[in-house]
Every structure is written in structure tokens, then in C-alpha cells.
Amino acid sequence: MVQKERGLITINNLSMLQNKSLSFLMISRVANTLAIQMLTVAVGWQIYSLTQSAFYLGLVGLVQFLPMIVLTLVVGHVADRYDRKLIISISQSVEALAVFLLAFGCYHGWINKESILIIIFLIGIANSFQGPPMQALLPNIVSEEIFPRAAALVASAFQFAVIIGPGLGGILYSLGPGVVYSITGSLMFLSSMLILFVSTRKEQVKTEPKSLKTLFAGISFIKSKPVILGAISLDLFAVLFGGATALLPIYASKILFIGSFGLGVLRSAPAVGALLMSAFLARNPLKKNVGRTMFMAVILFGIATVIFSLSKSFIISILALILLGASDVISVVIRSTFVQMETPDNMRGRVSSVNMLFIGTSNQLGEFESGLTASWFGTVPAVLIGGIGTIVVAFLWMRLFPDLLHIDKLEARK
């Protein structure tokens, strides 16, 4: 028998997918993620075609990161005071309009590297407002008992889109970048509509008065929880150094010689590993030694990055990226579950905004770091150094945050 309490999915559900809210959330995530992955391939290939520069590939990550670091405190405050679904919907609609502008520029022949960077910067602003409420939404849909399974299930849907999106983007790019951008904008707009059909179990707390204290509350909360600080900073530095994906256009063009479709395949490979692993975790949630498992996953991520950096074989490169994705999703599921379960609901927006800053730093700033080091040392040495750096960070964090290493179960600690 399916039981519900105020829209909350309970542990006795025969299937979490029977809940409409979770289904709408997953479909929305799939549509938006497909769009983002297609956009990433198109922008990366187009700007590299225009510039032949690793530095400009890095700039794409930097212009997405800058809005995040400037707006972090503001967007977290907004996510805790206003309707999270509406914030996500508006953010995705703005992203859609910006992508349609890219398509318009391609069709009318005025697109160049500067206009691409400016529009990606605008998309970065909109995405900054989307991230924290999206992270904070799932705990309002499912119960604490099944949150780890639900997080893995949502991750599976996300990774499915990450697999399909890059390859689809690479195929459509052969018809012209304007085609990719048009379809991408449409998917973003669809996602913005679907998210409005998600219903949550309770109203957000909105009575907390505005002040500098509430604005900085997310930072203060994380500082008071060394284990949370250790978890999100581990992701920051590990992925910051291991940002091989930013340089995939160069690997596809200059090292593996596989073209735009091959670039899409490379982009999809980490998601294949991540999908397989997240599906496994959804059916077999981690029950003990989760801290040690997370650190081992980060080390494996670094090893996979090293293998990829040195490979000149398309098959070995694909296998290394699959391993990279599988190890990464273990860390992501453990960290995201632990952070959300340790954070009270009225703080989740602000804590998530700080967490998103760490994630954005590791991803977008990591792309810039990869592009910069590649322009200094060369593509292969840059990725190799990054993979070694990730392994070093994992061992260092074991010493700095021993409580994180010894976490046994994914449950809220008293």
C-alpha cells in the first residue's frame, strides 16, 4: 500500500517513482541537464574552432564562475525566503532566453568569441540562482529514511541525461551550432515549466528577519560543522585539480583525432560510469564505512584522471572517463546526502549556496585552471598534474578531517 503524509514519500512506498512530485522533478532535471550538456559541447567546440586556444576554453569556465562567487550569499538568502520552485523556474527561463540569443547570433552571422563569453556569463548569473533551491528541494519531497536512495535515483536520471546530451549535441552540431542552441533553449524552457508541478511537504520558514547575520548564516553554520566543511572542501580541491573535462575539445581535436561527435562521446563517458554506479547505489545504498568509501572514491577519481591524461587510445580514454564518472558519483551521493541531512530545512538554501560555490569553484574555476595550466605546460602535463593533485588532496584531507574519514552511516547525527 502506498502511504503519503502531506505529500511526503514514506519508506513504505512500493516505488518512489509513484510519487508525482519526484517524477516531475526528475523529468525536469533530465530536460535541463540534456540542455546543459548539449550547450557545453556546442560552446566548447565553437569557441575552440574560433580561437584554437586552451586559454579561451578555460575562460568559458571562468565567466560561469564569477557570478557564482559574487552572488553566493544573496542567492542562498533568496532560496530560504521565497518559493524555491518559482526561483528555479525563473532562472531556467532566463537561461533559455540567453541560449536563444546564441542561436539568433549564429543564424544572423554576428556570433564571435566575445559574444559567446558574454552570453555564457549571463547564463552563469541565472544558474547561480538555480543551484541552491534545486539542492534544497529534494529533502522537502522525500522522507529522511529514503533520502539516500532518492538522491541516488535522481543522480541516475541526471547521469542518463549527461550520457545522451553530449553525443546528441555533437551530432546536431554537424547541422550547425544554431540548431543545437535552438533545441537547448527549448529544453530549458520545458524544464522551467515542469518544475512548477512539483509539490513539497511543507512551507518554507520565511519569518526570519533580514540581517547581516542571516545573510552570512550559511557560512557560520558550515564553520560550526567541521565535518561538513571537510566534505565540501574535499570536493572543491579534488575536482579543482582534476578538471580534465575542460580540455576534452583539445583531446578530441589534437590528440585522439575524433571530431565533434567524438567529443560528444568523450563528454558522455563519465556519465556512463556515473549512471551505472548511481543505479547500483539506488538499489544498494551504502550502509557503513561511508567516510572511508568517499575518500577511496576520490583517490580512484585521481587515478582515472592520470590514466586519461597519458592515453592516446580512444578506447582506453573512454574506459578511464567511465571509471572517473563512477568514482565521482560515489563521492557526490555521500557528500550531498550527508550535507542535506545535517542541515535544518530553514538553512538549506544558504548552506546549499555555499556548497554550490564550492562545487562551482571546483568545476568552473577548475576549467579555467585547466585551460591556464594547459597554456603554460601543455595539455597532457596539465591533466597529469591535476590527477596527481587530486590524490594528494585526498590523503591530506584524511589527516585534516579524521572525523569525516570515520563516518560510518549516512544519517543525521545528534
Side-chain angles (χ1 to χ4, degrees), residues 160-183:
F160 172 78
V162 176
I163 292 171
I164 301 299
L168 184 59
I171 293 172
L172 292 174
Y173 193 89
S174 63
L175 303 176
V179 175
V180 184
Y181 296 142
S182 297
I183 296 175

Side-chain angles (χ1 to χ4, degrees), residues 13-69:
N13 274 0
L14 295 176
S15 170
M16 288 185 289
L17 285 176
Q18 290 175 340
N19 182 272
K20 292 181 180 179
S21 291
L22 185 59
S23 298
F24 278 123
L25 176 64
M26 290 176 63
I27 296 171
S28 175
R29 287 294 302 274
V30 167
N32 191 62
T33 305
L34 274 173
I36 292 296
Q37 295 303 313
M38 292 166 62
L39 178 66
T40 300
V41 169
V43 167
W45 193 260
Q46 187 175 31
I47 204 162
Y48 188 67
S49 298
L50 291 170
T51 66
Q52 296 295 305
S53 169
F55 179 72
Y56 270 92
L57 285 174
L59 280 182
V60 173
L62 181 63
V63 297
Q64 294 177 77
F65 169 72
L66 290 177
M68 189 174 298
I69 193 171

